[in-house]
Amino acid sequence: MTLTSEPSVIRRPGRIQTELLAAGAWSARHGIARVAMGRARRRGDLQAIVFSDPAAREDPYPLYRRIRERGPVVRGEFMACTASHAIADGALRSDAFGVAADASALPPLARWLLSRPGRTVGPVTPPSLLAVNAPDHTRYRRLVAKVFTARAMEALRGRVASLADELLDRAARRGEIDLVSDYATLLPVTVIAEILGVPADMRAQFVAWGAQAAPVLDIGLSYPEFRRVDRAIRQLNGWMSGHFERLRRDPGDDLLSRLVAQDLDENELLAIAGLLLAAGFETTVNLIGNGVSLQLAHPAELEVLRADGGWANAVDEILRYESPVQNTARRALRDTSVEGVPVRAGTFLAILLGGANRDPEVFDDPERFDVRRHNAREHLAFSSGVHYCLGASLARIEGEEALRRLFERYPDLAAAGRPRRRPTRTLRGFDRFPVRLGRP
Ligand code: HEM
């Protein structure tokens, strides 16, 4: 399609139509799953417990262990799941599997809803990179991949470090800060805003939309939760559409200006830009928050880093031990087998990345947090295969610079209250973490 095609956000549906579309989209993606999961959980189904039990959100690791001990692929009432590193990696790399949210995988009602004008274009529905298979996926990914190469990202390291210092200078005046809102979010949101070329004064608004939209990755949301998510994504899309218009009239030398000049329709543009923006900070914030929490809980590990450096490996160990994205899913496109385990066509496989990252087949003594672990980098926190995280190099650099600068400048950093876990399941991290910086 061409740029002249009518943007969907301009063909705004009426209020009643919006309500109906939202109710239908909620039933198809969350409502039915919510009821089925509730029933299955009461019958002790392990997958249902992972995805809906409150205690499993707090500490999912014992459950992952039970699932792994039960077998490489555990079939539950409504899907199969794996906490095995070999199966997770094998399925993610296999072309016999596609993304679970690909339109052809959806029930007819959901497919119909997706074809309606006025439906919400978000990160987990086509044409998002996370929700399409080849050849669309290959085409979209090619458009942005060259901007995020390891080399291009390494060139940004100096900027990331000086930004970390600026934020810490500002924090120093207060002594006590909320690590999440004053540091761990501001660093990646500023960097991704600069890469995309969106105005810095929109950062607070992006952060607010990001926080409201983050549960979109979970399944089984309640209707009010779903509506909050939907509203935030619509507001972001509305702003983005206006921004694309400005860039068409007056392009700059940034990624979004280049994207609007491509042969993409409005929904494709919204999906790519929205995903890059949100994935650019909603994940890295958890890496930094989880990293601080782990270092404070393991002072001997922090001493190792102080004495010998090695922050790059420590960041991979943080990603392994407390993965910011705990799970993803795939669907078998044909009868196949992974590591010798047969999988029937149509099977949905929940891939518990956080569980695979503690698989004793790959990681010795996996429940131990060890910043010198020799193979920490073999984790699957950034997924694997064709959907491997596009921002992995950037996230590693941000995590490394943010944590190193913080602990080097404030060796006495301490918690100043209990950190609060964010309410999401797929995204694992904190949404509030008061800390006292201590003497510089
Ligand atoms: C610690 C930080 C991060 C983690 C843990 C993370 C994790 C992930 C994971 C697990 C996936 C693949 C999901 C799947 O296979 O279904 C993914 C994909 C993606 N990530 Fe990240 N991510 C992080 C940071 C970033 C950053 C900074 C960006 C910014 C550019 C980014 C952009 C993307 C994009 C665009 C995709 C979709 C790739 C595709 O489908 O081809 N991520 N990320």
Side-chain angles (χ1 to χ4, degrees):
M1 283 200 221
T2 66
L3 291 174
T4 50
S5 66
E6 197 186 352
S8 62
V9 283
I10 292 175
R11 283 196 308 255
R12 281 215 175 96
R15 223 179 122 243
I16 294 176
Q17 197 189 345
T18 304
E19 288 293 332
L20 286 174
L21 279 171
W26 172 76
S27 319
R29 184 168 158 78
H30 298 285
I32 297 167
R34 193 177 164 84
V35 174
M37 274 196 308
R39 278 204 207 116
R41 190 180 65 225
R42 286 189 287 281
R43 286 197 284 265
D45 181 277
L46 289 180
Q47 283 97 311
I49 296 174
V50 167
F51 289 110
S52 63
D53 185 73
R57 182 174 53 208
E58 198 49 42
D59 181 10
Y61 301 108
L63 254 177
Y64 295 159
R65 200 165 48 235
R66 277 173 66 196
I67 289 173
R68 199 180 319 104
E69 282 165 4
R70 207 171 268 189
V73 174
V74 177
R75 286 161 222 277
E77 287 193 20
F78 53 97
M79 66 195 319
C81 78
T82 185
S84 142
H85 189 285
I87 299 281
D89 194 38
L92 289 167
R93 287 174 185 274
S94 163
D95 63 8
F97 286 84
V99 287
D102 166 41
S104 67
L106 300 174
L109 171 66
R111 267 209 309 272
W112 179 80
L113 284 164
L114 275 179
S115 65
R116 299 295 90 198
R119 59 107 181 168
T120 307
V121 178
V124 292
T125 44
S128 162
L129 274 166
L130 288 174
V132 290
N133 293 325
D136 287 343
H137 176 262
T138 324
R139 181 165 68 94
Y140 300 149
R141 185 148 171 142
R142 224 173 256 148
L143 289 173
V144 279
K146 48 184 177 292
V147 175
F148 290 93
T149 58
R151 213 157 134 226
M153 293 300 110
E154 206 44 59
L156 292 178
R157 186 182 285 274
R159 171 67 187 135
V160 173
S162 67
L163 198 55
D165 275 332
E166 271 171 44
L167 295 171
L168 290 175
D169 288 343
R170 213 182 302 161
R173 287 178 226 130
R174 306 206 343 244
E176 207 171 292
I177 59 164
D178 176 24
L179 180 87
V180 175
S181 56
D182 295 323
Y183 189 59
T185 315
L186 278 180
L187 180 77
V189 76
T190 307
V191 174
I192 195 70
E194 289 178 1
I195 294 175
L196 292 180
V198 292
D201 61 9
M202 282 298 291
R203 282 179 323 185
Q205 183 60 74
F206 294 143
V207 170
W209 283 330
Q212 288 154 24
V216 72
L217 299 175
D218 291 339
I219 50 170
L221 298 183
S222 70
Y223 189 59
E225 279 172 318
F226 174 79
R227 289 310 307 266
R228 272 195 297 279
V229 167
D230 195 62
R231 201 172 314 122
I233 297 176
R234 278 174 178 273
Q235 286 169 352
L236 169 64
N237 286 351
W239 181 86
M240 274 288 179
S241 281
H243 188 61
F244 296 152
E245 275 308 306
R246 287 187 287 277
L247 296 181
R248 281 179 193 119
R249 285 195 305 270
D250 185 17
D253 182 25
D254 52 64
L255 179 55
L256 289 189
S257 294
R258 268 173 273 156
L259 277 178
V260 295
Q262 301 289 331
D263 185 19
L264 294 167
D265 71 24
E266 188 76 4
N267 283 349
E268 291 170 325
L269 271 174
L270 285 173
I272 295 174
L275 177 65
L276 285 174
L277 178 65
F281 69 90
E282 272 301 332
T283 46
T284 312
V285 58
N286 306 316
L287 164 61
I288 299 171
N290 294 347
V292 172
S293 162
L294 284 169
Q295 296 299 349
L296 294 181
H298 299 84
E301 296 300 301
L302 193 51
E303 277 314 310
V304 169
L305 292 168
R306 281 206 177 109
D308 307 335
W311 276 102
N313 200 62
V315 163
D316 276 303
E317 177 67 350
I318 295 164
L319 288 162
R320 180 193 78 81
Y321 195 84
E322 280 282 28
S323 308
V325 178
Q326 285 280 310
N327 58 69
T328 183
R330 292 292 186 269
R331 185 177 63 103
L333 301 172
R334 51 179 187 268
D335 286 349
T336 182
S337 73
V338 194
E339 298 289 307
V341 179
V343 179
R344 301 280 296 271
T347 302
F348 282 92
L349 181 65
I351 299 175
L352 304 171
L353 301 170
N357 288 341
R358 292 197 186 196
D359 186 341
E361 291 285 325
V362 177
F363 303 106
D364 293 338
D365 198 1
E367 310 294 333
R368 190 171 122 72
F369 177 64
D370 173 5
V371 295
R372 281 191 180 141
R373 185 180 290 281
H374 72 94
N375 66 342
R377 216 178 148 96
E378 286 179 42
H379 65 73
L380 299 176
F382 291 125
S383 191
S384 190
V386 293
H387 291 273
Y388 181 78
C389 176
L390 200 73
S393 302
L394 176 60
R396 281 193 167 106
I397 291 169
E398 289 176 338
E400 199 183 322
E401 295 303 326
L403 293 168
R404 194 170 54 80
R405 302 303 298 139
L406 179 69
F407 284 106
E408 273 179 12
R409 285 186 58 172
Y410 297 100
D412 299 329
L413 183 93
R418 256 177 83 82
R420 189 178 66 193
R421 230 170 235 302
R422 55 191 306 181
T424 46
R425 238 165 245 275
T426 298
L427 293 178
R428 180 167 176 82
F430 299 99
D431 61 11
R432 199 175 153 268
F433 196 159
V435 293
R436 199 168 308 115
L437 295 173
R439 277 179 303 112

